Amino acid sequence: MPEISNKERGEAFEKRVQDYFAQKGIPLARHPKVKIGFSQGSCKEHEFDLGNENILVECKTSTWTESGNVPSAKITEWDAAMYYFVLAHEAGNKHQGYFAVSRDFSESRNMTLLDYYLLHNAACVPPYVTLIELGKAEKPRVFKCKDGVFVEADD
């Protein structure tokens, strides 16, 4: 059986996230283009993974490295995604941001990659972004900013 490519894995996860929102009665289009930037004169378009007139979603399927280390380059991509939310907000798009990640648990660290990210990089997450961790069988985990701290919230 051929191995699935990263692109196929990403597209399949985007579909799962789209279905997650659809089950809540929230239809999302794939790859909406939104203006981003600090100055209206220098704005450009960015293509988010999913969205509608009220919501923008970025999706990531990052995993711990094969040796169990932190995937530093992938974490940098997560930080970049947060910056896109900030730039969209600065350009006048007051969408609710959602950052959806696939669940990947490290036995040696006793935490998921999202747990690690929030432990070390929560300062990079805008308060108007909700984080969602989707596993294969586990109940989704949702984190929202409350009083400047990201806490697990009801799905």
Side-chain angles (χ1 to χ4, degrees):
M1 185 166 118
E3 189 172 316
I4 186 169
S5 72
N6 285 340
K7 181 178 184 214
E8 292 169 321
R9 184 176 297 111
E11 288 172 350
F13 185 66
E14 282 178 16
K15 177 70 173 126
R16 282 185 54 216
V17 173
Q18 191 175 31
D19 291 345
Y20 168 84
F21 279 95
Q23 289 173 357
K24 297 180 174 310
I26 304 169
L28 297 176
R30 295 189 66 165
H31 310 290
K33 291 183 179 175
V34 174
K35 286 192 178 201
I36 63 170
F38 287 112
S39 167
Q40 291 297 328
S42 64
C43 285
K44 69 174 210 163
E45 284 192 333
H46 174 73
E47 188 175 277
F48 282 82
D49 293 323
L50 300 167
N52 63 25
E53 61 279 352
N54 300 312
I55 292 172
L56 294 173
V57 183
E58 283 288 309
C59 304
K60 298 292 180 191
T61 58
S62 308
T63 60
W64 298 97
T65 66
E66 285 185 27
S67 58
N69 292 323
V70 175
S72 300
K74 297 298 183 186
I75 294 296
T76 300
E77 287 180 12
W78 289 23
D79 288 341
M82 297 306 153
Y83 191 55
Y84 286 126
F85 286 119
V86 170
L87 290 173
H89 207 258
E90 287 294 321
N93 300 296
K94 301 306 179 197
H95 295 77
Q96 171 65 45
Y98 287 88
F99 186 66
V101 300
S102 58
R103 184 179 197 275
D104 194 48
F105 186 79
S106 167
E107 295 287 340
S108 63
R109 294 174 188 270
N110 195 33
M111 67 175 61
T112 67
L113 197 52
L114 181 58
D115 293 328
Y116 177 89
Y117 186 74
L118 286 173
L119 182 64
H120 296 279
N121 296 63
C124 296
V125 183
Y128 45 84
V129 173
T130 298
L131 299 108
I132 303 170
E133 181 183 71
L134 294 176
K136 299 237 187 276
E138 303 84 5
K139 180 180 181 235
R141 295 173 66 210
V142 177
F143 294 86
K144 294 185 177 190
C145 187
K146 181 175 179 172
D147 300 324
V149 178
F150 280 88
V151 295
E152 196 160 354
D154 291 331
D155 178 31

